[in-house]
Amino acid sequence: MTRPCVTHPLIPALRPLLAAEASAAAHGSGTDPGDLEQAVWLRLLERMDAADPPADPATWLRAAVASEARLTRRTAEREVAYATEPADDADADPEQRALRADRDRTLYAAVRRLPGRCPGLMAALLSPKDLTYREIAGELGMSQGSLGPERSRCLGCLRRMLAAEVAAPAPRGRER
């Protein structure tokens, strides 16, 4: 059971410090300051939910920003760009094209059934226009820093939905 979001007196007091720290750390980590801020707010709220508020909030906040920036930097270092564009399936045989079309129909049907803002967000991410986060945020009327966490929640929901619909093969590739 989730509790409604309650404004804590600590949040307005820490907002300017977090904005400054995230802005300073974001440039070195190659991330958006808004994404960094949102990740730290989430960590703080999770900690408050666990009834374990930090003894020195300002010191904790600086350490959390540094930790999130390191995590983002390490993740970016591990990511590898594709050497070429994804393969075009125009040369695929009819069976492969039919399987892909069926998979796409299943995916888009599941996307339409997602809750809240997820259908719009996923449609924008899947768009052939290859929209940037800034363009998607403007189109959906939400902050750019919210897109990453919202996308993660939507993808998790989509994974669970598709896992229930698409039966995984049994061990050793046998159908169930």
Side-chain angles (χ1 to χ4, degrees), residues 14 24 27 32 38 46 73 85-86 89 91 96 107 128 132 136 143 152 156-157 175:
L14 291 176
H27 298 294
D32 179 63
Q38 190 150 12
E46 287 171 344
R73 192 172 37 252
E85 286 293 315
D89 68 345
D91 294 333
Q96 289 173 330
L107 173 65
T132 65
I136 294 171
S143 75
S152 294
C157 187
E175 293 293 322

Side-chain angles (χ1 to χ4, degrees), residues 14-41 61-62 64-66 68-69 72-73:
L14 291 176
R15 184 170 279 128
L17 176 62
L18 177 56
E21 291 289 326
S23 180
H27 298 294
S29 66
T31 188
D32 179 63
D35 289 344
L36 205 50
E37 279 186 59
Q38 190 150 12
V40 173
W41 281 129
L61 185 127
R62 286 183 182 102
V65 168
E68 285 295 329
T72 302
R73 192 172 37 252

Side-chain angles (χ1 to χ4, degrees), residues 29 56 59 76 80 132-133 157 162 173:
S29 66
D56 182 3
T59 302
V80 179
T132 65
Y133 263 30
C157 187
L162 289 173

Side-chain angles (χ1 to χ4, degrees), residues 104-127:
D104 288 350
R105 275 191 299 277
T106 302
L107 173 65
Y108 284 104
V111 164
R112 286 190 298 274
R113 290 192 316 272
L114 287 169
R117 294 194 288 195
C118 289
L121 175 58
M122 296 308 298
L125 290 169
L126 292 169
S127 169

Side-chain angles (χ1 to χ4, degrees), residues 125-150:
L125 290 169
L126 292 169
S127 169
K129 297 179 199 170
D130 197 24
L131 302 171
T132 65
Y133 263 30
R134 178 172 290 168
E135 292 168 331
I136 294 171
E139 190 175 294
L140 297 177
M142 57 193 297
S143 75
Q144 191 173 340
S146 298
L147 283 178
E150 183 79 14

